[in-house]
Amino acid sequence: MEPAMAAERVGGSTPRNELVTWGTPQARWVLLATVLGSGVAFLDATVVNVALPTIGTELDATVAGLQWILNAYTLTLASLILIGGSLGDRFGRRRVFLVGIAWFAAASLLCGLAPTARALVAARALQGVGGALLTPGSLAIIQASFAPGDRARAVGAWSGLSGIAAAVGPFVGGWLVGVGSWRLIFLINLPLAVAAFVVALRHVPETRDPLSVPGIDLGGAALTAAGLAGVSWSLTDMGERGTSAVTLAAGAAGLAALIALVAVEWRSRHPMLPLDIFRSRQFTAANLVTFVVYAGLGLTFFLLVVNLQQVVGYSPLQAGLAMLPITAIMLALSARAGLLAERIGPRLPMTVGPLSLAAGLMLLSGVQEGATYLRTVLPGVIVFGLGLTLTVAPLTATVLAAADARHAGIASGVNNAISRGAGLLAIAVIPGIAGLTGDTYRDPAAFGSGFRTAMLISAMLAAAGGVLAWLFIRNEVAGRANACPAARLDRRHHCAIDAAPLATHQDAADATRSARASR
C-alpha cells in the first residue's frame, strides 16, 4: 500500500473519497449484504430451539444430545469470535465475511442432511466457525465503509433489520417444522447465504486495517476451545451418566487448558485477550454480571420452548409464537433503556433488570401441564422481556464505557464470548442437577418437574446478577476518564435475544493509530 493511500484512510477504512454515504444505491447494497449475512446467523440462533423436540424424536437423541446440538455451535463461536474480528482487520473484512458466509452455508447444508444426532452436533460445530467469521464482520464492514456522519444511522438500520430476523425466527422455525421438516430450518439458510454472498461480492468495498498487529493468536483460540470443550463435555456427561474416570479426566484437562490460556495470553505479544483490560473494576464487574445473568438466559431459552411443546402440548409453531413478545418488547424499548441508563447511570437499571428477569422466571416456572397462555405463559414472558430490556442495553454500554478506547472492540468481543460461554456451561450442568437427563423430555410429568427446578435455578442466577450489579457497578457517566461520551454510545446495539451485542473495532483502531503516530 502506498504511504499516501495509508494516510488517506480513516480508521483502516476505505479512502475518504470512496466512503459510502447514506441514501445512495451503494449504501443500500452494503446494508443489504450485511443484514442478510448477520440475519442468517440471528435467524439460525432462534429457530433451532423450537425444533429441538422434533429433532430429538426423529434422531432418537437424549437430553444430552439436545444440549450438544446447541452447545457445539456455541462452543466454536465463543472460542473463535475474537479471532474472527482480528482476521477481518488483517486480511480484509469483506474477504473474511465472504468466507464466513460460504462456511456457514456449507455447514447448514450438512446440518440439514445429518443422518444422526452425532452428525448434527459435528455440523453445528462447523456452523459456529462460520458464525465466528460472519458475526463480527457484518458490523465491522458498516463501520469501515460508511462515512463517519452516516455510521450511526447505518448501524441503527442494521441493528433493527437484523433484530427482525431474530424476531421472526421462532415463528419461521415453528412453521417450517409444522409444514415440512426440522431439516428446513437449516436448509433455509442456503438461499439467504447465496444472496448475501453475491451482493457482498459485487457491492461491498474491501477494507482492512493497515496498522493491525501482524500476529494471530491461534494458540489462545485453541486453548479456549479445548478448555470450554473439556469442561462442558465433562459436566454434561456427569449429569447424564454420573461421575467416571473419563469425565473427571476431561474436566481436569479442560480446566488445565483454561489455566494455560491465562499464562499464554499474559506472555503473548499479540494476545486475543489482553488481560490488562480486566484492571478496570467496572469492566470486570460488568462481565461478572454478564456471566451470571446469561447463564440463566441460556438455560431458559433452551428449556422453555421444549417445555411448551412437551408438557403444555403446544405445536412447534405455537411455541415459537409464544416467545415473540420477548423480542417485540426488546425491539420497542431497548433504545429507551439505553437512554435511561445514560441519564441516571447503569447501576439501578442493571439491578432492577436482572431482578425483573428473576421474577419473570419464577412466573415461567409455573408453566406446567394445563397452563393457559393468557394466565400463565404471557405474564411470565412479559415480565421476563421487560427485565431483559432493562438489562441488555445498560450492560452493553457499561462494558464499552469501562474499557479504554483502544480496547473498545476487544471489550465488546470479550463480553460476547463470556455471555455465550456462560450459556454453554449452564446448559451443560444445570439440566443434570434438575433431573433432566436421558429421555425425560419425552415424559411430560418428569420434564415438567425438572423444568420447574431449572427455572428456579435460573431465577436465582438472575437475582444474583442484580445483587452483584448493586454492589459493584458504579454510576460512571460522561466526562469521567474511562467513560464513553454520550454522543458515542451506540445505544441501538442490542441483540434481540441470543447474546450480548458486538460493537466495532473503530474506536480501538483510531486510538491505536494516534498512539503510534505520537511515538
Side-chain angles (χ1 to χ4, degrees):
M1 177 181 294
E2 296 295 330
M5 180 67 74
E8 198 176 7
R9 287 181 175 267
V10 181
S13 182
T14 50
R16 290 183 184 274
N17 59 355
E18 296 179 12
L19 287 170
V20 178
T21 55
W22 184 261
T24 62
Q26 188 178 14
R28 289 189 285 271
W29 283 118
V30 171
L31 191 61
L32 176 62
T34 54
V35 167
L36 281 174
S38 60
V40 169
F42 290 167
L43 179 68
D44 192 80
T46 54
V47 300
V48 174
N49 287 8
V50 177
L52 284 177
T54 306
I55 294 173
T57 299
E58 185 168 327
L59 298 184
D60 194 28
T62 63
V63 171
L66 299 184
Q67 289 170 273
W68 275 110
I69 289 171
L70 295 182
N71 279 353
Y73 177 86
T74 306
L75 172 64
T76 51
L77 180 62
S79 302
L80 301 175
I81 198 166
L82 291 175
I83 293 294
S86 299
L87 289 174
D89 289 342
R90 183 178 179 188
F91 297 109
R93 299 177 180 108
R94 184 186 70 165
R95 178 181 300 174
V96 174
F97 182 71
L98 291 172
V99 171
I101 292 174
W103 190 302
F104 195 92
S108 296
L109 178 61
L110 293 177
C111 289
L113 300 177
T116 65
R118 289 186 177 182
L120 180 56
V121 168
R124 287 281 288 164
L126 292 175
Q127 255 193 330
V129 177
L133 299 174
L134 178 63
T135 304
S138 60
L139 193 52
I141 285 173
I142 289 179
Q143 288 290 330
S145 301
F146 275 84
D150 293 327
R151 285 173 189 158
R153 194 172 182 179
V155 168
W158 172 89
S159 187
L161 293 172
S162 297
I164 291 173
V168 302
F171 169 79
V172 171
W175 179 74
L176 289 174
V177 172
V179 302
S181 166
W182 63 265
R183 298 181 186 276
L184 294 178
I185 69 172
F186 297 110
L187 298 179
I188 195 177
N189 293 335
L190 301 183
L192 296 175
V194 168
F197 189 95
V198 171
V199 173
L201 186 64
R202 297 187 60 181
H203 298 285
V204 173
E206 181 60 283
T207 62
R208 57 174 53 85
D209 181 2
L211 300 179
S212 64
V213 296
I216 300 296
D217 188 11
L218 297 178
L223 286 171
T224 302
L228 290 176
V231 172
S232 57
W233 183 86
S234 176
L235 293 173
T236 301
D237 202 60
M238 283 183 187
E240 188 75 12
R241 299 184 178 88
T243 303
S244 68
V246 175
T247 57
L248 291 176
L255 288 174
L258 293 177
I259 293 171
L261 171 67
V262 175
V264 168
E265 296 303 280
W266 185 262
R267 297 178 181 178
S268 175
R269 295 181 60 188
H270 310 295
M272 71 173 190
L273 176 59
L275 296 180
D276 61 343
I277 197 173
F278 290 100
R279 291 176 181 171
S280 165
R281 293 179 60 187
Q282 184 87 329
F283 180 81
T284 302
N287 279 286
L288 180 60
V289 173
T290 297
F291 184 85
V292 174
V293 170
Y294 273 86
L297 292 181
L299 182 69
T300 300
F301 289 117
F302 168 47
L303 294 177
L304 181 55
V305 288
V306 178
N307 185 73
L308 288 173
Q309 294 176 66
Q310 300 301 101
V311 177
V312 186
Y314 283 14
S315 68
L317 177 57
Q318 289 172 326
L321 289 173
M323 302 290 286
L324 283 181
I326 297 174
T327 303
I329 290 170
M330 289 204 68
L331 290 175
L333 301 179
S334 283
R336 291 177 175 83
L339 288 170
L340 176 65
E342 182 184 341
R343 286 198 301 267
I344 68 174
R347 187 186 184 199
L348 184 59
M350 286 180 61
T351 300
V352 175
L355 292 177
S356 299
L357 281 174
L361 290 168
M362 293 286 288
L363 292 174
L364 290 173
S365 70
V367 178
Q368 299 292 319
E369 188 174 3
T372 62
Y373 184 74
L374 291 179
R375 291 184 178 181
T376 307
V377 181
L378 184 59
V381 164
I382 290 175
V383 175
F384 181 87
L386 291 173
L388 198 60
T389 302
L390 276 174
T391 302
V392 172
L395 177 59
T396 304
T398 301
V399 167
L400 295 178
D404 291 336
R406 63 192 178 94
H407 284 327
I410 292 293
S412 62
V414 167
N415 189 245
N416 196 286
I418 286 175
S419 66
R420 293 180 184 273
L424 172 75
L425 295 176
I427 292 173
V429 67
I430 296 177
I433 295 174
L436 296 173
T437 58
D439 295 330
T440 52
Y441 73 94
R442 298 176 185 174
D443 181 345
F447 191 91
S449 176
F451 171 79
R452 182 185 293 108
T453 301
M455 289 302 96
L456 294 177
I457 294 174
S458 294
M460 288 188 287
L461 288 170
V467 172
L468 288 171
W470 181 257
L471 293 176
F472 299 112
I473 295 297
R474 300 188 301 275
N475 281 331
E476 295 181 342
V477 295
R480 294 286 298 271
N482 61 341
C484 284
R488 291 176 60 188
L489 283 178
D490 269 331
R491 290 185 290 271
R492 297 179 185 176
H493 286 196
H494 65 275
C495 181
I497 287 178
D498 186 49
L502 276 175
T504 71
H505 299 282
Q506 191 65 43
D507 288 343
D510 292 344
T512 301
R513 285 183 188 80
S514 298
R516 289 174 178 172
S518 63
R519 290 175 183 171

